[in-house]
Amino acid sequence: ALRWLGALLLSITLAAPALAAGKHLINGIDANYPPFAYVDETGKPAGFDVDSMNWIAKKMGFTVEHKPMDWDGIIPALLAKKIDMVCSGMSISPERKAQANFSDPYWTIRKIFITKKGSKVTEDQIYNGKIKLGVQRGTNEHEMLQKAQAEKKYNYQLRFYDSGPMAIEDLLNGRIDAIGLDAAPAEDAMRKGKPVQEVGVFGSDEFGVAIRKDDAETMKLVNEGYKLLKADPYWKELQAKYLGN
Ligand code: ARG
């Protein structure tokens, strides 16, 4: 009977979301990445990932604070324990997995080429390096394009940018002819009236939440939280609000 009682107590403990009671977690975001993370007109962090994590925190019983920082410094900040997670349009990649763990994937995203609206630039010209192709430095797109080039699959003429919006600026100015990037931010720019168009697809990957390798507790909260979120009507609402689908 004692063993039975022990099993019962154990199952109660495991089922209790009170596991997280009082926990305060800091999410590092790159606020230059709408529709996943940005700062709204009132200066408040917003976006698909920000709202997702707010919902998860409430459900799982922790508080979350979204801290805007440079994309370049975001993994170093995680490793230095300045933040507890990165839920900010971050792709799961082999390079990053060597440094941190990732939650279960929560979103699949296409990698697309865009040009200025009305431009005659073709996908072939991009692959053959006939035109200048911009990409954000340190992204998985950067990694993917460079790998294809190293393998001599394609001969891209790459130009590197510190942020996505800066690349779009240069595309519209005519300093570059195309950009390789995540589909959702490009579609977001189109919805906001930026004169750009999609001309091809060069791959896809999955977004996950980066968490320190020694932090199994946060990992559990985040994975449990996404399971609940994905089963809730709010998940569809978020997609309609931020991703236009
Ligand atoms: N999803 C891509 C990656 O993780 C692009 C991210 C670009 N920037 C950002 N702030 N989320 O590499």
Side-chain angles (χ1 to χ4, degrees):
L2 255 187
R3 197 187 295 163
W4 182 84
L5 186 66
L8 180 72
L9 284 179
L10 181 70
S11 63
I12 290 172
T13 318
L14 289 179
L19 197 74
K23 222 177 175 9
H24 180 70
L25 298 176
I26 303 176
N27 175 33
I29 58 165
D30 171 1
N32 280 312
Y33 214 58
F36 296 105
Y38 58 95
V39 176
D40 72 12
E41 318 77 49
T42 70
K44 250 180 60 190
F48 185 80
D49 287 342
V50 167
D51 286 8
S52 293
M53 199 46 71
N54 286 341
W55 189 95
I56 288 171
K58 219 166 148 200
K59 270 279 173 216
M60 299 303 295
F62 62 92
T63 52
V64 64
E65 170 189 340
H66 305 277
K67 194 171 177 184
M69 48 179 57
D70 286 340
W71 180 246
D72 273 357
I74 219 159
I75 293 269
L78 177 69
L79 299 179
K81 303 198 174 184
K82 290 192 179 114
I83 56 174
D84 303 293
M85 64 171 92
V86 182
C87 177
S88 182
M90 182 171 275
S91 303
I92 302 171
S93 73
E95 294 75 19
R96 289 178 186 146
K97 269 167 96 173
Q99 299 185 279
N101 280 349
F102 277 90
S103 69
D104 298 330
Y106 63 86
W107 194 252
T108 302
I109 192 144
R110 294 181 307 131
K111 307 287 162 178
I112 63 171
F113 293 126
I114 59 169
T115 60
K116 211 161 147 174
K117 200 168 189 166
S119 146
K120 297 274 179 291
V121 168
T122 64
E123 223 182 324
D124 269 349
Q125 288 178 308
I126 298 174
Y127 286 125
N128 297 330
K130 297 276 184 276
I131 59 95
K132 297 187 206 92
L133 174 65
V135 67
Q136 187 184 348
R137 208 178 264 117
T139 59
N140 202 33
E141 298 78 80
H142 175 170
E143 207 65 56
M144 288 163 100
L145 293 171
Q146 224 158 34
K147 197 158 163 247
Q149 201 173 26
E151 287 166 356
K152 301 227 172 353
K153 234 170 112 190
Y154 300 116
N155 184 30
Y156 298 118
Q157 194 191 141
L158 292 173
R159 294 290 183 277
F160 300 104
Y161 288 89
D162 284 328
S163 85
M166 274 161 69
I168 294 187
E169 192 93 341
D170 266 13
L171 179 71
L172 297 180
N173 286 336
R175 260 181 240 125
I176 51 174
D177 311 286
I179 306 175
L181 78 175
D182 285 334
E187 287 157 0
D188 186 73
M190 289 176 212
R191 278 198 295 276
K192 288 176 180 150
K194 295 269 187 216
V196 297
Q197 64 190 12
E198 178 178 335
V199 292
V201 183
F202 63 95
S204 81
D205 65 17
E206 290 176 310
F207 287 174
V209 181
I211 294 166
R212 271 188 307 281
K213 292 196 180 203
D214 61 6
D215 189 359
E217 201 181 330
T218 300
M219 182 60 84
K220 197 172 164 211
L221 291 172
V222 167
N223 276 335
E224 270 315 304
Y226 269 104
K227 262 185 218 137
L228 296 175
L229 173 56
K230 286 184 163 190
D232 194 278
Y234 187 60
W235 184 239
K236 280 266 168 275
E237 261 175 60
L238 282 178
Q239 289 170 47
K241 179 169 179 194
Y242 289 112
L243 302 167
N245 49 253

